[in-house]
Amino acid sequence: MSSTTPKILIYSHDSFGLGHLRRCRAIAQSLVGDFSTLSVLILSGSPIIGSFEFRSRVDFVRIPGVIKLRNGEYTPLSLHINIDQTLAIRSSIIEHTAEVFDPDIFIVDKEPTGLRGEVLGTLEALKKTDTLLVLGLRDVMDDAETLTEEWDRKNVYPALENLYDEIWVYGPEGICNPLDGMEVSPTITNKLRYTGYLRRSLPKSAEDQPAPAPFEEEPYILVTPGGGGDGVEMVDWVMRAYEARQRPLFPALIVLGPFMPAAAAADFTERAEHLRDVEVLRFTPQIEPYLANATAIVGMGGYNTFCEILSFDKPTLMVPRVVPRREQAIRAERAEQSKLLKVLPIERYPDVDLMAEALSELPQMAPPSTAGVDNLLGGLDAIGQRVGDIFAERQETLAPKLVNF
């Protein structure tokens, strides 16, 4: 290994939402719990990474943020410089951090060459060292046609073929395959390792605290659009059902998310003031206690929300988005086929009767654990086991060199 204590560097481009950051954070937190001398450094473009707590020996480097416009182009989040300058700064920070930190393992989240290729130089530099290069993929990326076009356009196949040592799929084999329907070489498919979904739990700081009770002791439905940037329709649909009052419903706690458009957040907050059984929370970096205390969950179908649904074992209604990616819809469809939850297609928005009926039935639905699907949540354990094996292999390789030195 590169030093007497092991080190892992994780890259997360974070151009939008919370998904990449929360996935990388979950992996980092788990790994430092498994290995007492391990240090993990996260490279992230998330503007709110500082809002989250991290365990000892996990830290982050914040690179300048970017956002994706509706036309598909990127623009700096805060800096008044052009996108090429911003990407050059990001690339330089990433490469120099990797050079100085000298990780034993470099994990890249989702984007094989990074945002517009910004991590390619780092991959090429680390390939000349002893660092093991790992690409981490969600269980679902997108439909095969769209992902094929995207990867062709970004020319990622040489990196998959020649740079990465392993590709970890954060889901169990048999439910979803992120490369399903794509024509990829045996060299690439042989690098795939399925881990299982990443289990979530209450943070240490919340374990000894009283459970949040937004409606005193009443049961409630938690409504979460994740980061919230694309959750306006889902939240509006739920609120319309409560405003219509067609049938008795459990109270609802709606966590809007930090990227919910300000005008929409203000509108939902104002509407909730007229509803005795709806509370709105703008954002919390610790949503886990609210998930654990909820009777049921309404979500959009993003990867992290899905892991939380499985981990806290709540009856769930998914309202997945279908643009700009079909990732959530594919995941939700497979989950419904496995009897893990129920899906309400966003194409039926704003049918109030349909949403009200789904919300009234939701608390009585069976939780995901009753579906009997094996090895759903073994992802963090599998990653820890693989990292341990890698470190052991490195020590065996290093020992003869130390003896001969």
Coordinates of all heavy atoms in Angstrom, one line a residue, residues 192-254:
L192 N -17.5 -6.7 -13.7 CA -18.7 -6.4 -12.8 C -18.7 -7.2 -11.5 O -18.4 -8.4 -11.6 CB -20.0 -6.7 -13.6 CG -20.3 -5.8 -14.8 CD1 -21.6 -6.2 -15.5 CD2 -20.3 -4.3 -14.5
R193 N -18.9 -6.5 -10.4 CA -19.1 -7.2 -9.1 C -20.4 -6.6 -8.5 O -20.5 -5.4 -8.2 CB -17.9 -6.9 -8.2 CG -16.7 -7.6 -8.6 CD -15.5 -7.2 -7.7 NE -14.3 -7.9 -7.9 CZ -13.9 -9.0 -7.3 NH1 -14.7 -9.5 -6.4 NH2 -12.8 -9.6 -7.7
Y194 N -21.4 -7.4 -8.3 CA -22.7 -7.0 -7.7 C -22.5 -7.0 -6.2 O -22.1 -8.0 -5.6 CB -23.8 -7.9 -8.1 CG -24.2 -7.7 -9.6 CD1 -23.6 -8.4 -10.6 CD2 -25.2 -6.8 -9.9 CE1 -23.9 -8.2 -11.9 CE2 -25.6 -6.6 -11.3 CZ -24.9 -7.3 -12.3 OH -25.3 -7.1 -13.6
T195 N -22.9 -5.9 -5.5 CA -22.7 -5.8 -4.1 C -24.0 -6.0 -3.3 O -24.0 -6.4 -2.1 CB -22.2 -4.4 -3.7 OG1 -23.2 -3.4 -4.0 CG2 -20.9 -4.1 -4.5
G196 N -25.2 -5.7 -3.9 CA -26.4 -5.6 -3.1 C -26.6 -4.1 -2.8 O -25.7 -3.2 -3.0
Y197 N -27.8 -3.7 -2.4 CA -28.1 -2.3 -2.1 C -27.4 -1.9 -0.8 O -27.0 -2.7 0.0 CB -29.6 -2.1 -2.0 CG -30.4 -2.2 -3.3 CD1 -31.2 -3.3 -3.6 CD2 -30.1 -1.3 -4.3 CE1 -31.9 -3.4 -4.8 CE2 -30.8 -1.4 -5.6 CZ -31.7 -2.5 -5.8 OH -32.3 -2.6 -7.0
L198 N -27.2 -0.6 -0.7 CA -26.5 0.0 0.4 C -27.4 0.3 1.6 O -28.2 1.2 1.5 CB -25.8 1.3 0.0 CG -24.9 1.1 -1.3 CD1 -24.2 2.5 -1.6 CD2 -23.9 0.0 -1.2
R199 N -27.3 -0.5 2.7 CA -28.2 -0.3 3.8 C -28.0 1.0 4.5 O -26.8 1.5 4.6 CB -27.9 -1.5 4.8 CG -28.9 -1.4 6.0 CD -28.5 -2.5 7.1 NE -28.7 -3.8 6.5 CZ -29.8 -4.5 6.5 NH1 -30.9 -3.9 7.0 NH2 -29.9 -5.7 6.0
R200 N -29.1 1.6 4.9 CA -29.0 2.9 5.7 C -29.5 2.7 7.1 O -30.3 1.8 7.4 CB -29.8 4.0 5.0 CG -29.5 4.2 3.5 CD -28.0 4.5 3.3 NE -27.6 4.3 2.0 CZ -27.7 5.2 1.0 NH1 -28.3 6.4 1.3 NH2 -27.3 5.0 -0.2
S201 N -29.0 3.5 8.0 CA -29.3 3.3 9.4 C -29.3 4.7 10.1 O -28.9 5.7 9.5 CB -28.3 2.4 10.1 OG -27.0 2.9 10.0
L202 N -29.8 4.8 11.3 CA -29.8 6.0 12.0 C -28.4 6.5 12.3 O -27.5 5.7 12.7 CB -30.5 5.9 13.3 CG -32.1 5.8 13.3 CD1 -32.6 5.4 14.7 CD2 -32.7 7.0 12.8
P203 N -28.1 7.8 12.1 CA -26.7 8.3 12.4 C -26.5 8.2 13.9 O -27.5 8.2 14.7 CB -26.8 9.7 11.9 CG -28.2 10.1 11.8 CD -28.9 8.8 11.5
K204 N -25.3 8.1 14.3 CA -25.0 7.9 15.7 C -25.5 9.1 16.6 O -26.0 8.9 17.7 CB -23.4 7.9 15.9 CG -22.8 6.7 15.4 CD -23.1 5.4 16.2 CE -22.3 4.2 15.7 NZ -22.7 3.0 16.5
S205 N -25.5 10.3 16.0 CA -26.0 11.4 16.8 C -27.5 11.4 17.0 O -28.0 12.1 17.9 CB -25.6 12.7 16.0 OG -26.2 12.7 14.7
A206 N -28.2 10.6 16.3 CA -29.7 10.5 16.4 C -30.1 9.3 17.2 O -31.3 9.2 17.6 CB -30.3 10.5 15.0
E207 N -29.2 8.4 17.5 CA -29.6 7.2 18.2 C -30.2 7.4 19.6 O -31.1 6.7 20.1 CB -28.4 6.2 18.3 CG -28.1 5.6 16.9 CD -26.9 4.6 17.0 OE1 -26.3 4.6 18.1 OE2 -26.6 4.0 16.0
D208 N -29.6 8.4 20.3 CA -30.0 8.6 21.7 C -31.0 9.8 21.8 O -31.4 10.2 22.9 CB -28.8 8.9 22.6 CG -27.8 7.8 22.6 OD1 -28.3 6.6 22.6 OD2 -26.6 8.0 22.7
Q209 N -31.4 10.3 20.6 CA -32.4 11.4 20.6 C -33.8 10.9 20.5 O -34.1 9.8 19.9 CB -32.1 12.4 19.5 CG -30.7 13.0 19.5 CD -30.5 13.9 20.7 OE1 -31.4 14.6 21.1 NE2 -29.3 13.8 21.3
P210 N -34.8 11.6 21.1 CA -36.2 11.2 20.9 C -36.6 11.2 19.4 O -36.1 12.1 18.7 CB -37.0 12.2 21.7 CG -36.1 13.4 21.9 CD -34.7 12.8 21.9
A211 N -37.4 10.3 19.0 CA -37.8 10.3 17.6 C -38.6 11.5 17.3 O -39.4 11.9 18.1 CB -38.6 9.0 17.3
P212 N -38.4 12.1 16.1 CA -39.2 13.3 15.7 C -40.7 12.9 15.6 O -41.0 11.9 15.1 CB -38.6 13.7 14.3 CG -38.0 12.4 13.8 CD -37.5 11.7 15.0
A213 N -41.5 13.8 16.1 CA -42.9 13.6 16.1 C -43.6 14.8 15.6 O -44.1 15.7 16.4 CB -43.4 13.2 17.5
P214 N -43.6 15.0 14.3 CA -44.2 16.2 13.7 C -45.7 16.4 14.0 O -46.2 17.5 13.9 CB -43.9 16.1 12.2 CG -43.8 14.6 12.0 CD -43.1 14.1 13.2
F215 N -46.4 15.3 14.3 CA -47.8 15.4 14.6 C -48.1 14.8 16.0 O -49.0 14.0 16.2 CB -48.6 14.6 13.5 CG -48.4 15.1 12.1 CD1 -47.5 14.6 11.3 CD2 -49.1 16.3 11.7 CE1 -47.3 15.1 10.0 CE2 -48.9 16.8 10.4 CZ -48.0 16.2 9.6
E216 N -47.2 15.2 16.9 CA -47.2 14.6 18.3 C -47.1 13.1 18.2 O -46.1 12.6 17.7 CB -48.5 15.1 19.0 CG -48.5 16.6 19.2 CD -49.8 17.1 19.9 OE1 -50.7 16.3 20.1 OE2 -49.8 18.3 20.3
E217 N -48.1 12.4 18.7 CA -47.9 10.9 18.7 C -48.7 10.3 17.5 O -48.8 9.0 17.4 CB -48.5 10.3 20.0 CG -47.7 10.8 21.2 CD -46.2 10.6 21.1 OE1 -45.8 9.4 20.7 OE2 -45.4 11.5 21.4
E218 N -49.2 11.1 16.6 CA -50.0 10.5 15.5 C -49.0 9.9 14.4 O -47.9 10.4 14.2 CB -50.8 11.6 14.8 CG -52.0 12.1 15.5 CD -52.8 13.0 14.7 OE1 -53.6 12.6 13.8 OE2 -52.7 14.3 14.9
P219 N -49.5 8.8 13.8 CA -48.7 8.2 12.7 C -48.7 9.2 11.5 O -49.7 9.9 11.4 CB -49.4 6.9 12.4 CG -50.8 7.1 12.9 CD -50.7 8.0 14.1
Y220 N -47.7 9.1 10.7 CA -47.7 10.0 9.5 C -47.0 9.3 8.3 O -46.3 8.4 8.4 CB -47.0 11.3 9.8 CG -45.5 11.1 10.2 CD1 -44.5 11.2 9.2 CD2 -45.1 11.0 11.5 CE1 -43.2 11.0 9.5 CE2 -43.7 10.8 11.8 CZ -42.8 10.9 10.8 OH -41.4 10.7 11.1
I221 N -47.3 9.9 7.1 CA -46.7 9.5 5.9 C -45.6 10.5 5.6 O -45.8 11.7 5.6 CB -47.7 9.4 4.7 CG1 -48.8 8.4 5.0 CG2 -47.0 9.2 3.4 CD1 -50.0 8.4 4.0
L222 N -44.4 10.0 5.3 CA -43.3 10.8 4.9 C -43.3 10.9 3.4 O -43.2 9.9 2.7 CB -42.0 10.3 5.4 CG -40.7 11.1 5.0 CD1 -40.7 12.4 5.7 CD2 -39.4 10.4 5.3
V223 N -43.3 12.2 2.9 CA -43.2 12.4 1.4 C -41.8 13.1 1.1 O -41.5 14.1 1.7 CB -44.3 13.4 1.0 CG1 -44.3 13.6 -0.5 CG2 -45.7 12.8 1.4
T224 N -41.0 12.4 0.3 CA -39.7 12.9 0.0 C -39.4 12.8 -1.4 O -39.3 11.7 -2.0 CB -38.6 12.1 0.8 OG1 -37.3 12.4 0.3 CG2 -38.8 10.6 0.7
P225 N -39.2 14.0 -2.1 CA -38.7 14.0 -3.5 C -37.2 14.1 -3.6 O -36.6 14.6 -4.6 CB -39.3 15.3 -4.0 CG -39.3 16.2 -2.8 CD -39.5 15.3 -1.6
G226 N -36.5 13.6 -2.6 CA -35.0 13.6 -2.6 C -34.5 15.0 -2.5 O -34.9 15.8 -1.7
G227 N -33.6 15.3 -3.5 CA -33.1 16.7 -3.5 C -34.1 17.7 -3.8 O -34.0 18.9 -3.5
G228 N -35.2 17.3 -4.5 CA -36.3 18.2 -4.7 C -36.3 19.0 -6.0 O -37.3 19.6 -6.4
G229 N -35.2 19.0 -6.7 CA -35.1 19.8 -7.9 C -36.1 19.4 -9.0 O -36.5 20.2 -9.8
D230 N -36.5 18.1 -9.0 CA -37.4 17.7 -10.0 C -38.7 17.0 -9.4 O -39.4 16.2 -10.0 CB -36.8 16.7 -11.0 CG -36.1 15.5 -10.3 OD1 -36.2 15.5 -9.0 OD2 -35.4 14.7 -10.9
G231 N -39.0 17.4 -8.2 CA -40.1 16.8 -7.5 C -41.3 17.7 -7.3 O -42.2 17.3 -6.5
V232 N -41.4 18.8 -8.1 CA -42.6 19.7 -7.9 C -43.9 19.0 -8.2 O -44.9 19.2 -7.5 CB -42.4 20.9 -8.8 CG1 -43.6 21.8 -8.7 CG2 -41.2 21.7 -8.3
E233 N -44.0 18.3 -9.3 CA -45.2 17.6 -9.7 C -45.7 16.6 -8.7 O -46.9 16.6 -8.3 CB -45.1 17.0 -11.1 CG -45.0 17.9 -12.2 CD -44.9 17.2 -13.6 OE1 -44.6 16.0 -13.6 OE2 -45.2 17.8 -14.6
M234 N -44.7 15.8 -8.1 CA -45.1 14.8 -7.2 C -45.7 15.5 -5.9 O -46.7 15.1 -5.4 CB -43.9 13.9 -6.8 CG -44.3 12.8 -5.9 SD -42.9 12.0 -5.0 CE -42.6 13.2 -3.7
V235 N -45.0 16.5 -5.4 CA -45.4 17.1 -4.2 C -46.8 17.8 -4.4 O -47.7 17.7 -3.5 CB -44.3 18.2 -3.7 CG1 -44.9 19.0 -2.5 CG2 -43.1 17.4 -3.3
D236 N -46.9 18.5 -5.5 CA -48.2 19.1 -5.8 C -49.3 18.1 -5.9 O -50.4 18.4 -5.4 CB -48.1 19.9 -7.2 CG -49.4 20.6 -7.6 OD1 -49.8 21.5 -6.8 OD2 -50.0 20.2 -8.6
W237 N -49.1 17.0 -6.5 CA -50.1 15.9 -6.6 C -50.5 15.5 -5.2 O -51.7 15.3 -4.9 CB -49.5 14.8 -7.4 CG -50.5 13.8 -8.0 CD1 -51.9 13.9 -7.9 CD2 -50.2 12.7 -8.8 NE1 -52.5 12.9 -8.6 CE2 -51.5 12.1 -9.2 CE3 -49.1 12.1 -9.3 CZ2 -51.6 11.0 -10.0 CZ3 -49.1 11.0 -10.1 CH2 -50.4 10.4 -10.4
V238 N -49.6 15.2 -4.3 CA -49.9 14.8 -2.9 C -50.7 15.9 -2.2 O -51.7 15.6 -1.6 CB -48.6 14.5 -2.1 CG1 -48.9 14.3 -0.7 CG2 -47.9 13.3 -2.7
M239 N -50.3 17.2 -2.3 CA -51.0 18.2 -1.7 C -52.4 18.4 -2.2 O -53.3 18.7 -1.4 CB -50.2 19.5 -1.8 CG -48.9 19.5 -1.0 SD -48.2 21.1 -0.6 CE -49.3 21.6 0.7
R240 N -52.6 18.2 -3.5 CA -53.9 18.3 -4.1 C -54.9 17.3 -3.4 O -56.0 17.5 -3.2 CB -53.9 18.1 -5.6 CG -53.3 19.3 -6.4 CD -53.2 18.9 -7.8 NE -52.6 19.9 -8.6 CZ -53.2 20.6 -9.6 NH1 -54.4 20.3 -10.0 NH2 -52.5 21.5 -10.3
A241 N -54.3 16.1 -3.1 CA -55.1 15.0 -2.5 C -55.6 15.4 -1.1 O -56.7 15.2 -0.7 CB -54.4 13.7 -2.5
Y242 N -54.7 16.1 -0.4 CA -55.0 16.5 1.0 C -56.0 17.7 0.9 O -56.9 17.9 1.8 CB -53.8 16.9 1.8 CG -53.1 15.6 2.3 CD1 -52.1 14.9 1.6 CD2 -53.4 15.1 3.6 CE1 -51.5 13.8 2.1 CE2 -52.8 14.0 4.1 CZ -51.9 13.3 3.3 OH -51.3 12.2 3.8
E243 N -55.8 18.6 0.0 CA -56.7 19.7 -0.2 C -58.1 19.3 -0.6 O -59.1 20.0 -0.2 CB -56.1 20.7 -1.2 CG -54.8 21.4 -0.7 CD -54.1 22.1 -1.8 OE1 -54.3 21.8 -3.0 OE2 -53.3 23.0 -1.4
A244 N -58.2 18.3 -1.4 CA -59.5 17.8 -1.8 C -60.3 17.1 -0.7 O -61.6 17.2 -0.7 CB -59.4 16.8 -3.0
R245 N -59.7 16.5 0.3 CA -60.3 15.9 1.4 C -61.4 14.9 1.0 O -62.6 15.0 1.5 CB -60.8 16.9 2.4 CG -59.8 17.8 3.0 CD -60.1 18.4 4.3 NE -59.0 19.1 4.9 CZ -58.0 18.6 5.5 NH1 -58.0 17.3 5.7 NH2 -57.1 19.3 6.0
Q246 N -61.1 14.1 0.1 CA -62.1 13.1 -0.4 C -62.3 11.9 0.5 O -63.3 11.3 0.5 CB -61.8 12.6 -1.8 CG -61.8 13.7 -2.9 CD -61.3 13.2 -4.2 OE1 -60.6 12.3 -4.3 NE2 -61.7 13.9 -5.3
R247 N -61.3 11.6 1.3 CA -61.3 10.5 2.2 C -60.3 10.7 3.3 O -59.4 11.5 3.2 CB -61.0 9.2 1.4 CG -59.6 9.2 0.8 CD -59.5 7.9 -0.1 NE -60.2 8.0 -1.3 CZ -60.6 7.0 -2.0 NH1 -60.4 5.8 -1.6 NH2 -61.3 7.2 -3.1
P248 N -60.5 10.0 4.4 CA -59.5 10.2 5.5 C -58.1 9.7 5.1 O -58.0 8.7 4.5 CB -60.1 9.3 6.6 CG -61.5 9.1 6.3 CD -61.6 9.1 4.8
L249 N -57.1 10.5 5.5 CA -55.8 10.2 5.2 C -54.9 10.4 6.4 O -55.2 11.3 7.2 CB -55.2 11.1 4.1 CG -55.9 11.1 2.7 CD1 -55.3 12.1 1.8 CD2 -55.8 9.7 2.1
F250 N -53.8 9.6 6.6 CA -52.9 9.8 7.6 C -52.2 11.2 7.4 O -52.1 11.6 6.2 CB -51.8 8.8 7.6 CG -52.1 7.5 8.3 CD1 -53.4 7.0 8.2 CD2 -51.2 6.8 9.0 CE1 -53.7 5.8 8.8 CE2 -51.5 5.6 9.7 CZ -52.8 5.1 9.6
P251 N -51.8 11.9 8.4 CA -51.1 13.2 8.2 C -49.8 13.0 7.4 O -49.3 11.8 7.3 CB -50.7 13.6 9.6 CG -51.7 12.9 10.5 CD -52.0 11.6 9.8
A252 N -49.4 14.0 6.7 CA -48.2 13.9 5.8 C -47.2 14.9 6.2 O -47.4 16.1 6.4 CB -48.6 14.2 4.4
L253 N -45.9 14.5 6.3 CA -44.8 15.3 6.5 C -44.0 15.3 5.2 O -43.6 14.3 4.7 CB -43.8 14.8 7.6 CG -42.5 15.5 7.7 CD1 -42.7 17.0 8.1 CD2 -41.5 14.8 8.7
I254 N -43.9 16.5 4.6 CA -43.3 16.7 3.3 C -41.9 17.3 3.4 O -41.9 18.5 3.9 CB -44.1 17.5 2.3 CG1 -45.5 16.8 2.2 CG2 -43.5 17.6 0.9 CD1 -46.5 17.7 1.3

